[in-house]
Amino acid sequence: ANAIFPSLSEYVAHQKWQQLKSLIKKSIILVILLGMPVFIILFLYPAVIISFIFERGAFPSSATTITAEILKYYSYGLIAVLIHTIITKVYYSLGLEKILFAVSVGSIILKIVLSDVLYRTLYQNGLALATSLTFIVSTIILYIYLVCYLKRY
C-alpha cells in the first residue's frame, strides 16, 4: 500500500480518475492473489506454524494448540486487512480522512461489542474472531463508500 500511495496522490492531484480506479482495482486483485495462499496456509496449518516458530522447549504443546486456534480465527480477516490497507491509502489521497475517522469509531464500537459477545462462548478465539469480523465489516463499508464516491468521476 505504501508503494502505491505516491501514484494515488498523483492521480488525484491531476484528476486522472480512470488511472486511479485502475490502480485501485489492480492493487486489490494483487493483494487478494498474494494473500489467499497465505490465508490458506494459516487456516490449514496453524499448529505447524506456531509449533515451528514458538515451541522450542519454553512453549508447551498445550500453548501451541491454543495459539494455533487463535491464529486460525485471525486468519479469517487477513484478506480484509490487506484490502483495508490499500483502501485507507486511497482515502488519504482523496482527502477523506473524516470518513476514515467515522468508520474507525464505528469499528471500535463494533469490536468492543463483538469481543464482549464472542468472548462468552469462544473465549480467546472470540476476541480473534471479533477482530477479523470488525476488519471485514469496516473494509466492506469503506469499499462501498469508495465505489459510490468514485462514480461521480
Side-chain angles (χ1 to χ4, degrees), residues 11-39:
Y11 293 155
V12 171
H14 293 87
Q15 299 182 352
K16 296 181 178 180
W17 304 114
Q18 291 308 324
Q19 288 99 326
L20 177 69
K21 292 175 187 179
S22 177
L23 181 59
I24 295 167
K25 182 179 177 182
K26 288 176 185 175
S27 299
I28 290 174
I29 290 169
L30 180 64
V31 297
I32 290 171
L33 291 174
L34 293 174
M36 196 54 81
V38 176
F39 161 73

Side-chain angles (χ1 to χ4, degrees), residues 24-152:
I24 295 167
K25 182 179 177 182
K26 288 176 185 175
S27 299
I28 290 174
I29 290 169
L30 180 64
V31 297
I32 290 171
L33 291 174
L34 293 174
M36 196 54 81
V38 176
F39 161 73
I40 291 169
I41 290 167
L42 291 174
F43 183 78
L44 294 177
Y45 306 106
V48 174
I49 294 166
I50 297 301
S51 176
F52 178 75
I53 295 172
F54 294 112
E55 200 175 299
R56 307 209 189 246
F59 202 75
S61 61
S62 60
T64 298
T65 303
I66 292 168
T67 307
E69 280 297 308
I70 294 168
L71 178 61
K72 186 183 257 188
Y73 281 95
Y74 274 124
S75 73
Y76 296 146
L78 176 66
I79 302 298
V81 170
L82 297 172
I83 294 170
H84 189 278
T85 304
I86 290 170
I87 291 175
T88 300
K89 298 297 183 189
V90 175
Y91 273 74
Y92 281 119
S93 69
L94 290 167
L96 298 174
E97 295 88 358
K98 290 179 182 178
I99 302 298
L100 279 175
F101 178 75
V103 173
S104 295
V105 169
S107 294
I108 291 168
I109 294 167
L110 178 62
K111 171 80 163 80
I112 291 168
V113 170
L114 287 175
S115 293
D116 184 52
V117 170
L118 294 173
Y119 181 79
R120 293 177 192 187
T121 55
L122 298 171
Y123 306 105
Q124 65 275 3
N125 295 335
L127 298 176
L129 183 58
T131 300
S132 292
L133 291 174
T134 300
F135 260 108
I136 291 167
V137 169
S138 68
T139 301
I140 290 169
I141 290 168
L142 289 172
Y143 180 79
I144 290 170
Y145 185 87
L146 182 63
V147 167
C148 293
Y149 182 85
L150 290 176
K151 278 187 180 179
R152 64 179 85 169

